[in-house]
Amino acid sequence: REAAREILESAARRDTNRLGVEAMSLLDAYGIPTPDGEIVDARSDAVEAAERIVGGDGEDGGGGDDGRGGDSEVVMKIVSPDILHKSDIGGVAVGVPPEEVGDTYEDLVTRARNYQPDATILGVQVQEMVDLDSGVETIAGMNRDPQFGPLVLFGLGGIFVEVLEDTTLRLAPVSEQSAREMIDEIDAAPLLRGARGRDPVDEASVVETLQRLSQLVTDFPAIVELDINPLVATPDGAQAVDVRLTID
Ligand code: ADP
Ligand code: MG
């Protein structure tokens, strides 16, 4: 809780009410699993971060061994409070091999500058690859309704969330029972439960994430909006791969 307070206060000091992946540590502080990642602001630091991330002990094996030789690859994302939808401006590079990390760092910063010359660029996030093939991209979020309070949202995530609109809402705090119901309610529920010979995802870990998110937004009324998209649900657990939030 203290760690979370510190993160929100430092954002307020920076005079911004929007936070992106620089707020990943807020999720960590509430026990919501996130892939290994680091924000850097120099090309050489990006290379070092990538080496550390792929060379680590690999204890949670987010990259998976799918035989495609992708174990040394990382994901890189522009980090800027002025760029809310990173992939819209080419600000997300997935599957970057070690020899391209340096150039990709420069590319991402250039794209952000071209998109908005006066954008505040905090750096580039270098992140562990998450195995999307064995997982489902879901969204877990919160919108504070002026009348009802914090509404926790769950649904099918990824880049099609607006198109498919397969989501459901509950007022926070969300009980374990309601979190389970939320999963039941979405049309994509069979996808999470092993449709077409897939392994079912770890539902308990999705339930836990929804409850932890609900706790976070209950503890901090200053958070008016928060989206974890995607929350990648796999048979081995759920991981928050991207986050953005608005504080007031
Ligand atoms: P944004 O939503 O701002 O465009 P995201 O961080 O959500 O940026 O990345 C966009 C998409 O890129 C995700 O929905 C996911 O499909 C893919 N992606 C992002 N991070 C990873 C990762 N660590 N491993 C695998 N795929 C990723
Ligand atoms: Mg996203």
Side-chain angles (χ1 to χ4, degrees), residues 12 14 21 25 28 30 32 34 38 48-49 98 104-105 111 154-155 182 192 194 198 225 233 239 242 246:
R14 281 209 327 273
V21 293
S25 45
D28 289 332
Y30 269 72
I32 297 172
T34 59
E38 205 175 304
E48 268 179 38
T104 303
Y105 176 90
R111 278 181 205 158
F154 176 71
M182 291 177 83
L192 296 168
R198 297 164 59 96
E225 205 183 304
Q239 273 192 309
D242 182 29
T246 309

Side-chain angles (χ1 to χ4, degrees), residues 28 52 83 129:
D28 289 332
R52 185 191 61 73
I83 299 169
M129 286 277 281

Side-chain angles (χ1 to χ4, degrees), residues 77 84-87 92 137 158-159 227-230 241-244:
K77 310 179 189 186
L84 294 177
H85 298 278
K86 300 176 287 298
S87 39
V92 178
E137 290 193 65
I159 52 175
D227 271 319
I228 300 173
N229 184 22
V241 165
D242 182 29
V243 67
R244 69 178 131 257

